[in-house]
Amino acid sequence: MSTPAGRTPASRHHRRPRGEGQWALGYREPLNKNEENKKNDDGLNVRQRIIDVYSKRGFDSIDPADLRGRMRWYGLYTQRKPGIDGGKTAILEPEELDDRYFMLRVRIDGGQLDLAQLRTIADIANEYARGTADLTDRQNIQLHWIEIESVPDIWERLEAVGLSTTEACGDTPRVILGCPLAGIDTEEVLDATEQIRELKERVVGNPAYSNLPRKFKTALSGCPAHCTVHEINDVAFVGVVNEHGEAGYDLWVGGGLSTNPMLAKRLGVFVRPDRVGDVHEGVTGIFRDYGYRRLRHRARLKFLVNDWGVEKFREVLELEYLKEPLPDGPAPEPPRGSRRDHVGVFPQKDGTFYVGFAPKVGRVDGDKLHQIADIAERHGSGRVRTTIEQKMVVLDVAPDQVDSIVAELEAADLRVRPSTFRRQTMACTGIEFCKLAIVETKTRAADLIDELERRLPSFDEPLTINVNGCPNACARTQTADIGLKGQLVVDENGEQVEGFQIHLGGSLGVDSGFGRKVRGLKTTAKALPDYVARVVSHYDDQKKEGESFADWVQRADEADLK
């Protein structure tokens, strides 16, 4: 017997003490301050107030509900006031943490950029953001030190080259992840470029989807390396070929990390390319209508999927939103290779090459972005891409230009042949700018790379090190080989200092799973290089032929993990 639409399987055994704020079940009255603010005014409406009022009257004129809420609908967060230590992150009121400057997130759907766009971002970084520019692990570029007075001009310049910050943050459909090699990879299942464009046109800035329970993350790719990490997105379309030889997508729903991580689940359906837009809107609609709105920490799609199960989710999608069934479909092939970042030199379908390179922990600046644009113009066609690993790729490099572009990138400290540590260490924004952070991340991760390269120069096994400034897992702590979650710890002198809780052996792919937490396994920030070098050396000494770090962690003695 199927569960009636809108009721979770769990509700047959016990009733929740009160409604979860699901619109489809009649709970339309806001159950928390965030929902009240969204009901009072759509976040999309703040744009005109920024242009007409706030940019003219200055920071002090901004309504608090806009400042700490609706402005996120256009990629704007107040950044952390300098000098506030991590011990005060959870203690101070928001207005005490707020600086008078903003982080501005430029959404780059599918990671697709041309030279005009890249140079525009570089110019904005230099003119308005004190040169700052960070590549994120969702293919965006973030700028800092933005003043509200500058925002209308920044928008005008971005939009003139086809970019925007619309719904780069907020309870909205966030940037649509796509393979940076869409259309050029010699082994791709299919080119998802057109579907990414369609999804963006249908949902981004659409008032029908501008009030979701929480953020909503989408991945769409035909990449054989599974570079968009579909396992941890709210909704993901993964390229497959069905029994008739037809290329389409396998649909996954309900992935997400943060403090309660869950892996996405397959619905077992085959989605033809011309149905992707309808199916994506259907899943988004389910989240809007049935998603939990009472408690913010339970307002992600993963909780609904976990409670309903895939059978009910598929049934509601097909009957209520698509009005027809979807055909069954195959699971994706295992990911190609052990690294999913597209760093290096590889052939394209047309006989040219793409060249992927690794800035250090995603940190670049306006001048560096200009330099990348100049290098791409000299040696490629002018197409560049961002990846979800805080890396970049230059496309369409002629065979006789490969050596030259590699030399120029390496000379600019943009490594095409990086060490494992440079290639696979990521870091979130950290306490430098983020109001949620407890510890510093970017500089610490960069220093860790340098130290590991010095201590372990010959180590070349795949190994991900993800450094996060708080428990929210923006840098995907739980799925890293070595995941570092920022917190305050007590050092040998009994003093409270910055440090990390350690997760070991997380992975995505054939054996997806979250990292192992060994009881009491923490390190101070000062001792971090010693710890990482020690555990990596233990792995290097003890690994069997072909054994991954994640597999070794599962059988290692706890003493070798400390």
Side-chain angles (χ1 to χ4, degrees):
M1 178 177 175
S2 63
T3 306
R7 288 187 57 195
T8 68
S11 68
R12 290 179 294 190
H13 304 294
H14 67 275
R15 292 187 177 277
R16 296 188 186 282
R18 50 181 164 159
E20 291 283 5
Q22 295 163 283
W23 286 0
L25 301 187
Y27 295 101
R28 299 293 301 205
E29 288 305 309
L31 296 174
N32 59 55
K33 188 66 175 179
N34 289 282
E35 289 299 312
E36 182 180 331
N37 287 341
K38 289 187 288 182
K39 183 177 181 180
N40 289 341
D41 190 29
D42 192 310
L44 293 174
N45 295 334
V46 77
R47 176 186 171 99
Q48 211 55 46
R49 290 195 289 278
I50 292 172
I51 294 171
D52 295 339
V53 181
Y54 303 147
S55 68
K56 293 180 170 60
R57 299 182 185 175
F59 185 89
D60 292 332
S61 70
I62 304 174
D63 184 296
D66 286 343
L67 182 66
R68 299 180 192 95
R70 301 183 193 100
M71 291 177 74
R72 298 176 184 182
W73 270 242
Y74 287 93
L76 288 159
Y77 279 88
T78 49
Q79 64 189 42
R80 187 189 191 93
K81 190 179 296 181
I84 300 176
D85 66 63
K88 297 178 180 176
T89 295
I91 298 173
L92 297 179
E93 295 298 321
E95 58 269 19
E96 297 177 282
L97 287 167
D98 286 332
D99 203 354
R100 300 172 68 86
Y101 299 93
F102 293 88
M103 179 274 287
L104 179 66
R105 182 178 296 157
V106 182
R107 66 179 295 153
I108 305 172
D109 294 275
Q112 301 181 12
L113 287 169
D114 59 33
L115 295 188
Q117 292 171 329
L118 185 58
R119 287 183 171 130
T120 295
I121 296 172
D123 286 338
I124 291 170
N126 284 340
E127 293 176 37
Y128 294 117
R130 303 187 186 181
T132 60
D134 285 339
L135 304 172
T136 77
D137 63 359
R138 291 194 64 82
Q139 297 186 294
N140 300 309
I141 294 179
Q142 291 183 176
L143 311 177
H144 295 280
W145 300 108
I146 300 296
E147 297 178 300
I148 193 63
E149 292 85 352
S150 307
V151 172
D153 183 57
I154 292 172
W155 282 344
E156 185 175 336
R157 292 167 72 167
L158 288 172
E159 289 161 12
V161 293
L163 293 172
S164 86
T165 68
T166 303
E167 296 182 341
C169 310
D171 297 348
T172 65
R174 301 288 185 90
V175 67
I176 300 161
L177 299 186
C179 176
L181 310 181
I184 70 165
D185 192 307
T186 57
E187 299 179 24
E188 71 178 353
V189 178
L190 76 171
D191 178 3
T193 302
E194 178 59 27
Q195 284 81 58
I196 291 173
R197 182 200 61 76
E198 181 187 359
L199 265 54
K200 182 180 177 183
E201 289 183 354
R202 290 174 69 152
V203 303
V204 178
N206 183 345
Y209 306 113
S210 60
N211 181 356
L212 301 178
R214 282 287 301 275
K215 56 190 172 185
F216 185 70
K217 298 182 177 181
T218 300
L220 178 70
S221 173
C223 175
H226 298 178
C227 71
T228 58
V229 291
H230 58 275
E231 302 97 330
I232 54 174
N233 280 271
D234 292 283
V235 58
F237 297 81
V238 186
V240 293
V241 177
N242 68 13
E243 59 184 354
H244 306 296
E246 180 183 8
Y249 298 96
D250 187 39
L251 180 62
W252 297 57
V253 295
L257 297 179
S258 192
T259 54
N260 197 335
M262 299 183 194
L263 293 171
K265 298 176 174 63
R266 293 185 60 236
L267 289 194
V269 300
F270 181 76
V271 183
R272 294 182 173 84
D274 63 356
R275 294 303 317 277
V276 166
D278 293 335
V279 172
H280 183 260
E281 283 201 64
V283 175
T284 312
I286 289 176
F287 182 44
R288 175 195 61 203
D289 301 336
Y290 288 99
Y292 303 149
R293 293 174 181 263
R294 181 169 67 90
L295 300 173
R296 291 286 286 178
H297 70 269
R298 277 183 53 83
R300 291 293 299 276
L301 182 65
K302 62 188 178 183
F303 294 101
L304 182 68
V305 172
N306 189 60
D307 287 349
W308 275 9
V310 294
E311 290 184 8
K312 178 181 176 181
F313 195 97
R314 177 174 175 175
E315 177 184 338
V316 173
L317 174 64
E318 293 175 333
L319 297 183
E320 294 188 28
Y321 291 83
L322 300 178
K323 309 300 183 184
E324 63 179 356
L326 293 166
D328 294 339
E333 293 291 324
R336 176 194 65 193
S338 56
R339 292 182 171 103
R340 300 160 81 166
D341 56 12
H342 302 307
V343 171
V345 179
F346 298 94
Q348 299 182 185
K349 291 178 181 179
D350 62 1
T352 62
F353 291 82
Y354 69 85
V355 180
F357 58 90
K360 193 177 288 185
V361 296
R363 178 137 284 179
V364 287
D365 55 39
D367 289 343
K368 188 70 73 175
L369 293 178
H370 269 302
Q371 189 175 16
I372 292 167
D374 292 344
I375 291 171
E377 185 173 38
R378 281 194 292 273
H379 302 290
S381 68
R383 296 194 296 169
V384 295
R385 298 289 184 262
T386 56
T387 81
I388 70 154
E389 304 291 338
Q390 300 178 337
K391 310 298 188 291
M392 292 187 74
V393 183
V394 176
L395 305 186
D396 313 319
V397 178
D400 63 356
Q401 293 293 306
V402 168
D403 289 344
S404 298
I405 190 172
V406 170
E408 284 200 49
L409 289 167
E410 291 279 346
D413 196 29
L414 300 167
R415 301 293 171 79
V416 178
R417 301 184 180 96
S419 70
T420 284
F421 306 116
R422 165 72 81 97
R423 180 171 182 170
Q424 294 192 277
T425 298
M426 293 199 308
C428 73
T429 300
I431 202 169
E432 181 181 9
F433 298 118
C434 179
K435 293 181 294 182
L436 300 177
I438 301 168
V439 305
E440 203 285 324
T441 55
K442 287 287 189 183
T443 299
R444 188 157 288 131
D447 292 344
L448 177 64
I449 291 169
D450 292 341
E451 188 64 18
L452 293 174
E453 287 179 339
R454 184 183 69 81
R455 297 191 192 190
L456 304 170
S458 62
F459 182 82
D460 61 358
E461 297 291 330
L463 183 83
T464 53
I465 304 174
N466 293 11
V467 185
N468 215 83
C470 77
N472 290 314
C474 295
R476 309 201 293 267
T477 317
Q478 300 100 325
T479 60
D481 287 310
I482 301 176
L484 302 168
K485 182 176 76 175
Q487 59 180 220
L488 297 179
V489 301
V490 177
D491 68 8
E492 67 275 10
N493 300 317
E495 297 180 358
Q496 198 173 60
V497 297
E498 290 190 2
F500 298 91
Q501 182 186 59
I502 299 165
H503 298 245
L504 294 174
S507 63
L508 295 174
V510 176
D511 297 313
S512 295
F514 301 126
R516 175 181 175 184
K517 288 188 285 187
V518 177
R519 184 182 299 274
L521 185 52
K522 301 176 183 178
T523 179
T524 65
K526 181 180 179 181
L528 180 62
D530 290 338
Y531 169 74
V532 176
R534 184 167 64 247
V535 75
V536 172
S537 294
H538 289 158
Y539 161 64
D540 205 27
D541 292 339
Q542 298 175 16
K543 69 179 185 295
K544 301 173 183 177
E545 185 174 354
E547 185 176 36
S548 69
F549 182 86
D551 288 340
W552 171 77
V553 165
Q554 295 307 311
R555 68 172 180 83
D557 291 336
E558 284 199 6
D560 291 325
L561 302 179
K562 294 182 177 181

